Amino acid sequence: MKKRVFSGVQPSGSLTIGNYLGAIRNFARLQYEADCYFCVVNLHALTVPQDPEELKKNTLDVARLFVACGIDPNVSAIFVQSQVPAHAELSWLLECQGYIGELKRMTQFKDKAKKRENVSVGLFTYPVLMAADILLYNTDLVPVGEDQKQHLELARDLALRVNNRFREEVFKVPEPYIPPKNSGGRIMSLQNPAEKMSKSAENPKSYIALLDPPEVIQKKIMSAVTDSEAVIRYDEEAKPAVSNLMVIYSLFSGKTMEEITRLYAGKGYGQFKKDLAELTVETLKPIQQKVAELSAPGAIEEILKKGAEKAEETAAEKLRLCQDKLGVLRF
Ligand code: AQP
């Protein structure tokens, strides 16, 4: 039996190379060895204010980027979360199994909440909706970046809690699939290496969007912060900004950190950044071309409809089982 893989991406802005290197790149790799479901989690994006038209556009763009980054819609189910209402329904059932205390410990909630005056209830309960997303599909593996580790733990805890209560496997307990930090698990901001690169960051110079034009990519990389040592060497503690740029270089070129250090010995940051910008532009070029091809009217919608039909079938079965266990009547 093939393993089942599920993961989601929020259309909360334009996807970044952090999203790509931490997660989406692995979606494409896993699809030939596992049965995969990849979801544009648009309900998650509503946890912070969104412009409705922008959200619709971003939702379709994320789906196009999934395909452009190598996810084959004939192999994997690609769909939008709101097209499968079972996600929201199971989320409510799981909210009633979760504890306020465990949600209060979520570091992403604490980080996002402190940046806002009004914090929505949805931002607080979002990890439960994420648990529902995953548990609906009998998921074995969840490819995500490091920032999602704590949320995944919650999904596991909720699954185990329900299974223990009913003394049977109502939910499969999912495992994380997270690359190490030096392999893309946590790409940092180009302006502050202590912060994660985020698509919804206020300063666009802090991230490279997958759809950024070449000249924008060049400018952003040339203005990335470094340090005063002018030596290209990997040291996360002492040289976090340069190490982050080296991770991106290494993943886009296939070169090891040692090779990169040797290549730029005595050359300084200017040449390194220029080459990194070129490498990034070249890596993103085929992805951007494919997105343009998928922008023909109806092309992506067709893929999403097919994906939602497949997802709906799997999800409905799990939702029914959970409703039945909890005594929620359906007839
Ligand atoms: N900087 C990152 N490095 C590696 N992986 C990352 N991911 C996000 N940022 C990085 C991974 O990308 C997937 C999709 O993320 P998401 O859309 O679910 O939301 P997020 O984790 O909150 O990502 P962002 O870009 O920071 O979005 P906003 O700004 O809306 O909060 C996940 O697997 C995530 O781990």
Side-chain angles (χ1 to χ4, degrees), residues 10 12 18-19 112 145 147-148 184 187 196-200:
Q10 296 189 56
S12 44
N19 301 129
K112 287 196 174 178
D147 63 319
Q148 294 296 336
I187 300 292
K196 184 183 80 106
M197 183 180 282
S198 269
K199 62 176 118 61
S200 65

Side-chain angles (χ1 to χ4, degrees), residues 135-196:
L135 299 182
L136 269 177
Y137 295 93
N138 267 333
T139 303
D140 295 289
L141 270 189
V142 188
V144 281
E146 204 182 85
D147 63 319
Q148 294 296 336
K149 197 171 172 188
Q150 198 186 22
H151 294 158
L152 204 57
E153 272 304 318
L154 178 79
R156 288 170 56 83
D157 289 346
L158 288 170
L160 286 166
R161 193 169 301 154
V162 173
N163 293 352
N164 285 339
R165 175 170 168 196
F166 296 106
R167 294 180 209 289
E168 69 174 274
E169 191 188 85
V170 178
F171 295 119
K172 177 80 74 66
V173 182
E175 295 289 336
Y177 183 95
I178 302 176
K181 191 174 175 196
N182 63 3
S183 295
R186 192 171 178 84
I187 300 292
M188 309 310 282
S189 153
L190 300 182
Q191 293 298 316
N192 177 1
E195 268 181 19
K196 184 183 80 106

